[in-house]
């Protein structure tokens, strides 16, 4: 579907499921995945809990029918204390936007960057990444760049061994936070 939705998602979020089912009937095939680009184009203002709850309910209706949902959104504006987003609180808008999501992935980089970072902010099971993704803009192909994991770092350790901080610096960032160091410690154990 191109363009705005032909109904008010905030007033009738359950209409989204019917809308998707109608499209499936028109194209003559069941829909396994719905990709929304972007949430701001579905309803606004996203900072409103009423709007966030409506989006959650609309997308939750699809999930209940075992239809996968992928939606793009953006993080809140950076501040001098928090330049890089690191958690769900950094996602712009109502908490209901992420509350109903199974996974929340963050892609971090500047527009046009050939390499961006993907971080798994919310996990229904095991955490994925962080990963570096290389994007070939001419071909429109994104591939994962290998990054060291705890096992590879441990295998490459010299006689002095390695620490959880060393592993966290290699996996997450040059200045990992306490939670990242603890994740590295658990992986080493």
């Amino acid at each position: 579907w191109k363009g705005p939705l032909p109904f008010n998602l905030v007033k009738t979020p359950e209409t989204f499921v019917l809308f998707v089912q109608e499209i499936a009937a028109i194209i003559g095939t069941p829909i396994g995945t719905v990709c929304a680009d972007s949430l701001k184009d579905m309803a606004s203002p996203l900072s409103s809990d009423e709007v966030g709850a409506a989006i959650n309910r609309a997308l939750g209706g699809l999930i209940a029918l075992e239809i996968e949902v992928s939606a793009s959104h953006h993080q809140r504006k950076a501040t001098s204390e928090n330049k890089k987003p690191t958690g769900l609180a950094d996602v712009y808008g109502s908490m209901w936007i992420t509350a109903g999501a199974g996974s929340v992935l963050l892609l971090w980089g500047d527009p046009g960057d050939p390499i961006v970072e993907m971080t798994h902010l919310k996990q229904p099971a095991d955490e994925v990444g962080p990963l570096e993704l290389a994007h070939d803009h001419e071909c429109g192909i994104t591939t994962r760049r290998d990054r060291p994991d705890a096992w590879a770092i441990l295998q490459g350790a010299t006689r002095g061994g390695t620490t959880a901080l060393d592993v966290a610096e290699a996996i997450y960032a040059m200045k990992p936070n306490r939670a990242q160091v603890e994740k590295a410690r658990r992986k080493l154990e």
Side-chain angles (χ1 to χ4, degrees):
W1 182 262
K2 291 183 181 181
L5 295 173
F7 59 92
N8 186 322
L9 184 80
V10 177
K11 289 184 180 175
T12 58
E14 62 281 350
T15 303
F16 193 60
V17 169
L18 300 172
F19 177 69
V20 169
Q21 289 173 327
E22 185 178 307
I23 291 172
I26 290 168
I27 63 175
T29 184
I31 294 187
T33 303
V34 169
C35 298
D37 181 28
S38 84
L39 293 182
K40 71 174 176 49
D41 296 327
M42 293 177 67
S44 64
L46 294 176
S47 57
S48 159
D49 280 344
E50 178 186 12
V51 173
I55 288 173
N56 184 343
R57 188 166 171 198
L59 299 181
L62 295 177
I63 294 166
L65 294 174
E66 297 185 2
I67 296 172
E68 296 287 333
V69 176
S70 172
S72 62
H73 188 41
H74 61 89
Q75 69 270 3
R76 63 179 175 75
K77 300 290 185 212
T79 64
S80 58
E81 296 86 36
N82 186 8
K83 292 187 185 283
K84 181 179 179 185
T86 58
L88 289 177
D90 294 317
V91 176
Y92 175 75
S94 168
M95 66 171 236
W96 294 109
I97 293 171
T98 58
S103 279
V104 176
L105 301 173
L106 169 73
L107 296 177
W108 177 252
D110 288 324
D113 277 355
I115 298 173
V116 297
E117 181 180 310
M118 188 205 81
T119 308
H120 205 174
L121 299 182
K122 180 180 178 186
Q123 310 83 22
D126 289 338
E127 180 178 18
V128 175
L131 303 173
E132 284 185 355
L133 304 176
H135 187 66
D136 181 334
H137 292 275
E138 288 183 30
C139 296
I141 297 172
T142 301
T143 55
R144 185 186 84 189
R145 289 184 51 173
D146 286 332
R147 213 172 179 176
D149 63 9
W151 178 243
I153 294 166
L154 187 59
Q155 285 182 310
T158 59
R159 294 177 199 233
T162 191
T163 67
L165 178 61
D166 295 334
V167 172
E169 286 175 347
I171 294 174
Y172 297 105
M174 289 308 296
K175 293 183 181 179
N177 62 37
R178 287 181 19 208
Q180 291 169 327
V181 173
E182 190 54 36
K183 284 180 189 178
R185 184 181 323 283
R186 286 195 308 264
K187 288 179 181 182
L188 284 170
E189 288 173 358

